[in-house]
Amino acid sequence: MPSAATVLLYVAIAAYVFYRVVYKQVRGTLLDRRTLTVMPLVLVAVGGYLAAKALPGAPAAELGLLAVDLVVLAGLGVLRSTTTTLTERDGTTFQKGSAITIGLWALTIGVRVGLAALGTALGVAGPLTSASIALTLGVSIAVQNATTYRRVQRRGLPLADRRPAALSR
């Protein structure tokens, strides 16, 4: 059973990710290299640390469940990226999500919860399953952002190193 501090950390991460990723994608946001890299790096680092702490003693079945989780959520990251429109605005790329993007975010969350529930039903979910939430979410967002970056490059859209303060709302 996760501690109260761990649960609070997960709630804080979820709220932050919801605002920074889902809400901003749906309303649209200007992209720069920082917005494409910082959040996924932080989530992967925090999630990797928490998962590494839970790794000793994790059974092979739980490791397999984590591997499936990572692969499926990475695939959903690619799909989410392809549902956003990319246009040039204010010297950088503007990204706007769609109703399909929202649906894929709901599917991403549902898959993560479903795999954890499946692991619990099969008796293979343990501390690693709950400790890897930030890791799996970070990998999914990293893959989404890497796919978006590749799309930006292929289309020849500008990508600022850093947005001016007035534009970074």
Side-chain angles (χ1 to χ4, degrees):
M1 177 103 176
S3 70
T6 303
V7 170
L8 185 58
L9 174 65
Y10 293 153
V11 169
I13 289 170
Y16 182 72
V17 167
F18 179 79
Y19 170 74
R20 291 292 297 175
V21 178
V22 180
Y23 172 74
K24 288 186 106 181
Q25 277 181 10
V26 171
R27 96 179 156 111
T29 189
L30 295 172
L31 298 178
D32 61 24
R33 284 172 179 78
R34 184 174 170 261
T35 59
L36 289 172
T37 58
V38 171
M39 180 184 294
L41 287 175
V42 168
L43 286 172
V44 168
V46 168
Y49 171 76
L50 294 172
K53 284 178 53 175
L55 197 56
E62 190 175 16
L63 293 172
L65 183 67
L66 175 59
V68 168
D69 200 358
L70 287 167
V71 169
V72 171
L73 293 187
L76 286 168
V78 170
L79 289 176
R80 286 192 314 270
S81 173
T82 64
T83 66
T84 62
T85 58
L86 302 173
T87 55
E88 184 176 344
R89 185 183 293 180
D90 298 323
T92 191
T93 299
F94 182 77
Q95 173 184 253
K96 184 162 179 33
S98 65
I100 296 171
T101 311
I102 295 170
L104 287 171
W105 268 111
L107 181 61
T108 299
I109 293 164
V111 164
R112 180 55 165 102
V113 170
L115 284 171
L118 176 65
T120 300
L122 296 174
V124 298
L128 180 61
T129 300
S130 60
S132 63
I133 292 170
L135 175 65
T136 57
L137 187 57
V139 167
S140 187
I141 294 169
V143 169
Q144 177 181 346
N145 289 357
T147 304
T148 298
Y149 179 78
R150 186 168 181 212
R151 290 176 59 217
V152 166
Q153 295 299 305
R154 272 194 313 221
R155 294 193 48 210
L157 292 167
L159 193 59
D161 287 327
R162 188 165 177 101
R163 289 179 283 169
L167 298 177
S168 54
R169 291 175 270 157

